[in-house]
Amino acid sequence: MTAPTSVPADPHSPAANPRRRVGRPAAAVLDQNGITAAALQLIGKSGYDGFTMAALARTLNVAPSALYNHVSSKQDVLVLVQDHLTSFVDVSAFETGPWEQAVRDWAWSYRDVFSKHTPLIPVIAVLPVTDAPKTLAMYEAVSAGFSRAGFPQERIIPAIVALESFIFGSAYDVTAPADIFDSGSMAASTPHFTAAVERLAEDSQEKAADVAFSLGLEALLAGLGTLRVA
Amino acid sequence: MTAPTSVPADPHSPAANPRRRVGRPAAAVLDQNGITAAALQLIGKSGYDGFTMAALARTLNVAPSALYNHVSSKQDVLVLVQDHLTSFVDVSAFETGPWEQAVRDWAWSYRDVFSKHTPLIPVIAVLPVTDAPKTLAMYEAVSAGFSRAGFPQERIIPAIVALESFIFGSAYDVTAPADIFDSGSMAASTPHFTAAVERLAEDSQEKAADVAFSLGLEALLAGLGTLRVA
DNA sequence: ACCACTAAATGAATGCCGTTCATTTAGAAT
DNA sequence: ATTCTAAATGAACGGCATTCATTTAGTGGT
């Protein structure tokens, strides 16, 4: 019923092939889906440093300026990529499983997706949901899960935002160098910190970022879980 | 005793004016402190978009290339600014007050400082502490507080990292537009989410970001507090 | 078959960016 | 006075996102 794109129904439209818009020159080498796919592929191969409008155009065999017929800025492309990536975040457990495990699954997959795309985090964190339909769909699935789990309505959004903030910050943490906490020549003047860092390195097969994420997530689950009333 | 800068004592040094280095041309219009102060001022006036090496040089009445005698890159300047800002984060309560209140004070001030400087978050989150002495000093104060509060050594760093991740993510949240969750024309297809957003807007004199930060922080405090043993 | 229309692609140009480098400047040391 | 050198200069470089006048090539109407 509700079409995802807000194109008003055209009474004159023939039973059109949706790939081709009526009454228009066809061909159309470029569209938003193709641009999004190419951008994702380019980012995967060259990283965000190599992700330029010129490089994107080259992978599409097109002049850079051609992109601007379908997208209004580079920021626009990043929004498209962000929204596409969000569809890889796993919300399936909110429909079936218990709340706590659903949040766990969601949070880990959310972090894993965006830890490989940290340059998008400033984009997501400030992006109106209207501009990102797949992201909105994720929020709906998560909200429904929280509602079903007995959260009071007015706490649902703050709880999700708090979890999301933790997830975004933790995504950065995944990309930090292993020796980020090596205090080097300053070790003598920071005894408590240095001792704690050494203790951490001794145990923990696990990666440091995973330990911290698990610890924080379980603490949040416990703390937020007490809000449930049903 | 422990000098913050690792300059080895020079036996030949005269009872020198520390502003002037021995045996060198004096004057020195530029130094790292001056660059840091000018950068901070420029960012305050023009934001991070207006913060360019050319603009920074102009506020210092100097050619852009002159900056590169004192810093090796723009990223370098950002690191200097980041470290300077960290000295504004309040860790005083870790010396005196109870653990829980100390973390609260620290977390709120940490978030407030960097919510005005979110472009630095990708810098901090991945920066080795060796390159940021004031940041290292903050970690020492916080670590000491956690140790004193009875945290097992191997949990101190993960707990701090988890809190920091939440703080960084929340700093972005502060800058989000007020209507970020307005689902607009998609409202009909996202009933749970839309209902939760409306409920949030009804109550809450407080700003949405503050509600979410408070909720998440208190949950983390409760959850992490159970790790204490002493 | 032709024309008028138009979305899409082009390629040149713009302005800004961070950074490099050969050169100059001006104090300090000898 | 001469030598040394850190610091500042100004011109240049390559790369960037974006713009715009122009061209291209299908389409619907006649």
Side-chain angles (χ1 to χ4, degrees), chain B residues 30-54:
Chain B
L30 248 38
D31 64 3
Q32 289 203 341
N33 286 339
I35 291 174
T36 305
L40 203 50
Q41 179 198 335
L42 175 61
I43 289 164
K45 201 198 326 174
S46 311
Y48 281 86
D49 281 352
F51 176 61
T52 67
M53 294 300 270

Side-chain angles (χ1 to χ4, degrees), chain A residues 91-124:
Chain A
V91 294
S92 61
F94 279 108
E95 293 156 23
T96 63
W99 174 82
E100 206 178 278
Q101 189 58 36
V103 175
R104 237 192 306 264
D105 290 357
W106 169 67
W108 278 98
S109 79
Y110 202 169
R111 186 202 69 145
D112 286 344
V113 167
F114 283 101
S115 64
K116 291 172 215 131
H117 297 274
T118 55
L120 294 178
I121 289 176
V123 176
I124 322 171

Side-chain angles (χ1 to χ4, degrees), chain B residues 68-216:
Chain B
Y68 290 85
N69 288 320
H70 304 271
V71 299
S72 63
S73 65
K74 182 180 185 180
Q75 172 83 5
D76 234 63
V77 180
L78 292 177
V79 169
L80 290 172
V81 170
Q82 180 272 315
D83 198 42
H84 183 72
L85 285 172
T86 300
S87 64
F88 298 150
V89 175
D90 178 19
V91 295
S92 62
F94 280 108
E95 293 157 21
T96 64
W99 173 82
E100 207 178 277
Q101 188 58 39
V103 174
R104 239 190 305 264
D105 291 357
W106 168 68
W108 278 97
S109 79
Y110 201 169
R111 186 202 70 145
D112 287 345
V113 167
F114 284 101
S115 64
K116 291 172 215 132
H117 296 273
T118 54
L120 293 177
I121 290 177
V123 177
I124 322 170
V126 175
L127 187 73
V129 295
T130 310
D131 299 344
K134 291 171 186 166
T135 304
L136 181 55
M138 182 189 76
Y139 284 133
E140 171 63 12
V142 176
S143 299
F146 273 63
S147 186
R148 213 174 296 126
F151 274 81
Q153 288 267 49
E154 72 277 8
R155 299 294 173 88
I156 291 179
I157 299 298
I160 293 174
V161 168
L163 282 161
E164 226 182 355
S165 296
F166 174 66
I167 289 163
F168 291 155
S170 298
Y172 281 117
D173 192 39
V174 173
T175 72
D179 63 342
I180 187 176
F181 288 132
D182 181 14
S183 47
S185 63
M186 324 282 287
S189 53
T190 58
H192 296 91
F193 176 70
T194 301
V197 170
E198 277 169 8
R199 258 309 193 88
L200 178 68
E202 287 169 20
D203 328 338
S204 80
Q205 278 292 69
E206 289 180 281
K207 297 208 292 181
D210 288 353
V211 173
F213 186 67
S214 178
L215 191 70

Side-chain angles (χ1 to χ4, degrees), chain A residues 120-204:
Chain A
L120 294 178
I121 289 176
V123 176
I124 322 171
V126 173
L127 187 74
V129 294
T130 309
D131 299 346
K134 292 172 186 165
T135 305
L136 181 55
M138 181 189 75
Y139 285 134
E140 172 63 12
V142 176
S143 299
F146 273 62
S147 186
R148 213 173 296 127
F151 274 82
Q153 289 266 50
E154 72 276 9
R155 298 296 172 86
I156 292 179
I157 300 297
I160 294 174
V161 169
L163 282 162
E164 226 181 358
S165 296
F166 174 67
I167 289 163
F168 291 155
S170 298
Y172 281 118
D173 192 37
V174 173
T175 70
D179 63 341
I180 188 176
F181 287 134
D182 181 14
S183 47
S185 64
M186 324 281 287
S189 54
T190 58
H192 296 89
F193 176 71
T194 301
V197 171
E198 278 170 7
R199 257 310 193 86
L200 178 67
E202 286 170 22
D203 328 338
S204 79

Side-chain angles (χ1 to χ4, degrees), chain A residues 108 111-112 173-174 206-216:
Chain A
W108 278 98
R111 186 202 69 145
D112 286 344
D173 192 37
V174 173
E206 289 180 281
K207 297 207 292 181
D210 288 352
V211 174
F213 186 67
S214 178
L215 190 71

